[in-house]
C-alpha cells in the first residue's frame, strides 16, 4: 500500500459516540474542514484527517491500514479482535476515553431465577456479539446455542427465536420494556482509542505519540479542579488532611504576612460544597475552585 504522510483517524459518522469523539479531538487541538459527502474531513492545523464511518467498520479500517487510529466502543473492538481477519495487523486499545459507557450483558426473561452461568446450558442466546459471547461460554465450559442477529436482539425471546440475549445495556430501560432482566456482565465497555499494536515508525508515529500526550492531558483536566485558598501556618496540617486526592499542594507566601500562606492544590475530581465547608472550618479563607483548561506534564 502507498504510504500516507498524514494521520487518519476513523470515528462514528452518526451515533452515540459522534459528538463526544469530535469534542475530544477538538480539545486535543484538532480541527477539521467538513467535506460535502461528510465522509472525509481534512485536518486544518495538524496533518491529521478524519474518516466518518459506521462504528462496526472502524476496527477493520485500522487492521487493513486504511486508518491509523479509531474511536470506537471496546465492545466493537474486542468483538473484532475475536472474529476479524487472521492475517491483519493485531489491534490495541491505546486509551480508554471515559464516554459511551455501557455493559455487554446476558439478559434473561424476568421469570427466570438466574443464579449462575451454568443455567444457560442448552438455551439459545441471541446476540450481535458471537465472538465475545462464544469466548465467555467457552471459558465456563457452557454448552449453549448462539443465535447471531444484526439488530433488535432484545425482542428475540418474545418472538421465540431465543431463550435469552447477550446485548449492550446502559440504564436497563430497554430490557424492562421487553420483560428481560440483566443476569450477568461479560464486558464493561466505554469508547476507546484503538490503533495497531505497533506504531508506524515514520512521522505518523511521531504524530500519534504527540496526540496521545495531548489526550492524556485532556482526559486528566476533564476531571481536575484547581483549589486556591488562604490559611495560617498553624491550620496547614488540618487543611492538608482534608484536601481531596491529587498531588502535593503548592504553598506560596503572602506579602507582608509571614504567618499566612496561599495554598494551591490540584484535585482529581469535583470539590463539593460539603468538602469546602469542612476545609473552611479547619481554618481556610478566600477559597476558589477553578476548572482546569489545559495541562501538559
Ligand atoms: P452505526 O450506525 O455506527 O453502526 P450503532 O447503532 O451501531 O451505529 P450506537 O447505538 O450509536 O451504534 O452505539 C455506538 C456505541 O455506543 C456502542 O458500540 C457502545 O460502545 C456505546 N453505547 C453506550 N451505551 C449504549 C447503549 N445503551 N446501547 C448501545 N450502545 C451503547
Ligand atoms: Zn454499529
Amino acid at each position: 500500500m502507498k504510504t500516507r504522510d498524514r494521520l487518519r483517524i476513523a470515528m462514528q459518522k452518526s451515533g452515540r459516540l459522534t459528538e463526544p469523539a469530535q469534542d475530544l479531538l477538538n480539545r486535543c487541538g484538532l480541527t477539521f474542514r467538513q467535506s460535502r459527502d461528510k465522509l472525509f474531513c481534512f485536518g486544518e492545523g495538524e496533518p491529521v484527517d478524519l474518516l466518518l464511518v459506521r462504528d462496526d467498520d472502524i476496527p477493520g479500517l485500522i487492521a487493513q491500514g486504511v486508518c491509523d487510529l479509531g474511536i470506537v466502543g471496546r465492545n466493537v473492538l474486542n468483538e473484532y479482535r475475536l472474529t476479524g481477519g487472521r492475517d491483519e495487523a493485531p489491534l490495541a486499545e491505546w486509551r480508554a476515553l471515559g464516554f459511551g459507557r455501557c455493559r455487554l450483558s446476558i439478559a434473561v426473561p424476568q421469570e427466570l431465577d438466574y443464579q449462575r452461568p451454568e443455567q444457560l446450558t442448552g438455551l439459545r442466546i441471541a446476540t450481535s456479539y458471537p465472538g465475545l459471547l462464544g469466548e465467555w461460554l467457552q471459558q465456563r465450559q457452557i454448552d449453549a446455542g448462539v443465535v447471531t442477529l444484526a439488530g433488535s436482539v432484545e425482542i428475540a425471546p418474545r418472538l421465540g427465536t431465543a431463550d435469552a440475549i447477550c446485548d449492550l445495556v446502559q440504564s436497563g430501560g430497554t430490557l424492562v420494556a421487553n420483560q428481560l432482566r440483566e443476569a450477568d456482565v461479560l464486558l464493561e465497555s466505554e469508547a476507546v482509542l484503538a490503533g495497531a499494536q505497533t506504531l508506524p515508525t515514520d512521522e505518523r508515529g511521531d504524530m500519534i505519540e504527540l496526540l496521545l500526550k495531548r489526550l492524556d492531558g485532556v482526559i486528566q483536566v476533564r476531571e481536575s479542579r484547581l483549589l486556591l485558598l488562604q490559611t495560617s501556618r498553624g491550620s496547614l496540617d488540618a487543611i492538608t488532611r482534608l484536601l481531596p486526592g491529587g498531588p502535593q499542594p503548592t504553598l506560596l507566601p503572602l506579602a507582608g504576612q509571614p504567618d499566612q500562606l496561599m495554598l494551591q492544590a490540584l484535585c482529581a475530581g469535583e470539590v463539593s460544597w460539603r468538602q469546602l465547608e469542612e476545609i473552611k472550618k479547619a481554618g481556610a479563607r478566600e477559597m476558589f475552585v477553578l476548572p482546569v483548561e489545559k495541562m501538559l506534564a
Side-chain angles (χ1 to χ4, degrees):
M1 182 185 290
K2 198 166 120 301
T3 54
R4 284 178 282 111
D5 50 359
R6 294 175 65 86
L7 201 69
R8 205 178 279 162
I9 305 179
M11 60 169 255
Q12 196 183 21
K13 182 176 165 135
S14 104
R16 292 170 207 264
L17 305 182
T18 306
E19 218 185 280
Q22 185 93 49
D23 180 61
L24 188 68
L25 294 177
N26 290 346
R27 282 173 194 273
C28 289
L30 304 180
T31 52
F32 304 94
R33 202 178 328 138
Q34 200 135 82
S35 69
R36 194 160 299 165
D37 63 2
K38 296 208 172 152
L39 175 70
F40 185 85
C41 302
F42 184 80
E44 289 178 312
E46 310 281 0
V48 182
D49 304 322
L50 211 57
L51 208 60
L52 302 178
V53 294
R54 288 201 50 195
D55 66 344
D56 315 75
D57 296 338
I58 293 174
L61 289 169
I62 303 168
Q64 288 143 24
V66 179
C67 294
D68 306 288
L69 296 171
I71 295 177
V72 66
R74 181 179 292 137
N75 48 303
V76 173
L77 175 64
N78 287 4
E79 178 68 18
Y80 188 87
R81 280 160 143 179
L82 292 170
T83 55
R86 288 279 153 258
D87 49 349
E88 294 176 333
L91 300 182
E93 178 181 317
W94 281 95
R95 291 296 185 274
L97 302 176
F99 58 86
R101 286 185 201 277
C102 57
R103 305 177 293 281
L104 182 67
S105 292
I106 301 275
V108 298
Q110 273 162 4
E111 62 277 11
L112 186 89
D113 178 29
Y114 182 94
Q115 301 291 339
R116 30 176 224 291
E118 287 71 28
Q119 287 171 267
L120 299 169
T121 302
L123 300 187
R124 294 161 304 161
I125 310 172
T127 190
S128 310
Y129 296 86
L132 288 166
L133 174 60
E135 183 190 51
W136 187 82
L137 290 170
Q138 199 188 357
Q139 283 166 353
R140 286 158 186 76
Q141 297 180 323
I142 295 167
D143 191 11
V146 175
V147 182
T148 305
L149 299 177
S152 303
V153 168
E154 65 282 356
I155 59 168
R158 269 200 290 162
L159 297 178
T161 50
D163 308 296
I165 68 167
C166 168
D167 204 6
L168 297 177
V169 182
Q170 196 179 35
S171 64
T174 311
L175 295 183
V176 174
N178 289 282
Q179 290 116 50
L180 298 169
R181 125 185 115 73
E182 194 171 359
D184 228 321
V185 178
L186 276 66
L187 175 74
E188 297 278 352
S189 186
E190 64 188 281
V192 302
L193 184 74
Q197 238 161 51
T198 39
L199 296 183
T201 47
D202 54 13
E203 300 89 359
R204 283 180 296 154
D206 300 340
M207 192 62 217
I208 292 177
E209 276 179 24
L210 179 87
L211 195 61
L212 288 175
K213 282 204 194 97
R214 288 191 189 176
L215 203 56
D216 289 337
V218 170
I219 293 170
Q220 209 179 345
V221 298
R222 197 167 49 193
E223 273 107 50
S224 296
R225 301 287 180 276
L226 188 67
L227 173 65
L228 299 176
L229 58 85
Q230 291 182 21
T231 176
S232 64
R233 286 181 191 274
S235 308
L236 195 57
D237 277 352
I239 289 176
T240 312
R241 253 177 273 130
L242 291 172
L243 293 179
Q248 273 296 103
T250 310
L251 299 171
L252 305 164
L254 281 177
Q257 304 178 63
D259 185 42
Q260 301 296 311
L261 291 169
M262 159 119 160
L263 179 149
Q264 174 184 309
L266 192 65
C267 306
E270 282 284 340
V271 184
S272 69
W273 282 110
R274 171 92 16 129
Q275 285 171 312
L276 281 183
E277 285 150 6
E278 304 248 310
I279 297 170
K280 189 172 161 80
K281 256 191 237 153
R285 308 183 314 276
E286 304 289 330
M287 305 175 72
F288 292 92
V289 180
L290 308 172
V292 179
E293 168 92 11
K294 286 196 180 72
M295 193 146 74
L296 190 61

